[in-house]
Amino acid sequence: MDVSNRTVLIVGGTSGIGRELARRFAEAGSTVVVGGRNRQALSELAGEGFGTVAVDVTDAASVASARDDVLAGYPALDTVVTMSGVMIMEDLRDPAHFATAEKTIDTNLLGTIRVIDAFTPHLVGRGAGTFITVTSGIAFLPFPPMPSYGASKAAVHAYSEALRAQLAGTGVGVVELVPPAVATAGQEKVNPRALPLDDFATEVMQLLSQEPTPDEILVEGVRGHRWAERDGTYDELVAQRAQALALLPGRSG
């Protein structure tokens, strides 16, 4: 993928990985539009020279409105990145967790589908383009305190695979970005071994720039998650990660 001459929309790019990737694409020479709900962050990004659009991926009308605004202002749009997501711990012993599960699935999975559906006709119509979906190492190696997050990201992985197959021959590619724990706001406190954001973004852009672009963007730090079952480390690693259940209220004992 030539990252230097694209028109990129990053939905969910107002913070963390998405915001850093927006900067990297722009530094490479691409035109970048950032979508999200945080009005203050959008204002800051506009001040940096980015295009911006307000969008709530849990609201179909909001997604449709954002699509219309983006395509009116950037008709050459050729790359759509779906970054929106929530990551919340749940105690499955407490049925009250269902509200968290519902919110997580609506944002992470259905939000991704809403964005893809909104822009598929445009990309297919122009005969060229790329969807970049964002999953997680947790999609392949569960983190027990966040069951719905892992389930939603595993679902986005499966959806990405099916989308790639269905769009074959249209000129529209599907690339799946699989981050490990990355040191964005708050993550460094939860996981001191989280990969520095700058290092992660540098490796991602290098992988995206390959020809052909890999179907899955796997930085070195996530390969242990992605291939745990193949490598025979899955059960041991899930057991280790289950120790984090002590973080849930009432589970410390």
Side-chain angles (χ1 to χ4, degrees), residues 21 132-141 153 157 161 164 174-182 195 199-210 212-228 230-231:
L21 291 180
I132 301 178
T133 60
V134 180
T135 58
S136 169
I138 294 175
F140 304 96
L141 184 69
K153 292 299 186 177
H157 164 70
E161 295 274 284
R164 185 180 301 114
V174 178
V175 176
E176 178 183 349
L177 172 58
V178 188
V182 177
L195 187 66
D199 293 348
F200 170 74
T202 295
E203 194 172 353
V204 167
M205 296 305 288
Q206 290 171 346
L207 291 168
L208 283 173
S209 298
Q210 291 181 355
T213 304
D215 288 343
E216 294 180 9
I217 301 300
L218 302 170
V219 301
E220 190 62 34
V222 83
R223 291 181 177 273
H225 297 68
R226 179 65 178 94
W227 306 120
R230 181 196 69 183
D231 296 342

Side-chain angles (χ1 to χ4, degrees), residues 71-110:
L71 294 181
Y74 302 88
L77 180 75
D78 58 16
T79 306
V80 177
V81 186
T82 61
M83 292 287 312
S84 298
V86 294
M87 190 176 190
I88 309 171
M89 292 196 293
E90 300 168 76
D91 188 343
L92 301 187
R93 296 180 183 180
D94 181 357
H97 86 90
F98 185 82
T100 294
E102 193 170 38
K103 176 180 180 179
T104 301
I105 298 299
D106 193 22
T107 304
N108 299 5
L109 174 58
L110 297 181

Side-chain angles (χ1 to χ4, degrees), residues 59-77:
D59 182 338
S62 175
V63 172
S65 176
R67 174 204 58 209
D68 294 345
D69 289 347
V70 170
L71 294 181
Y74 302 88
L77 180 75

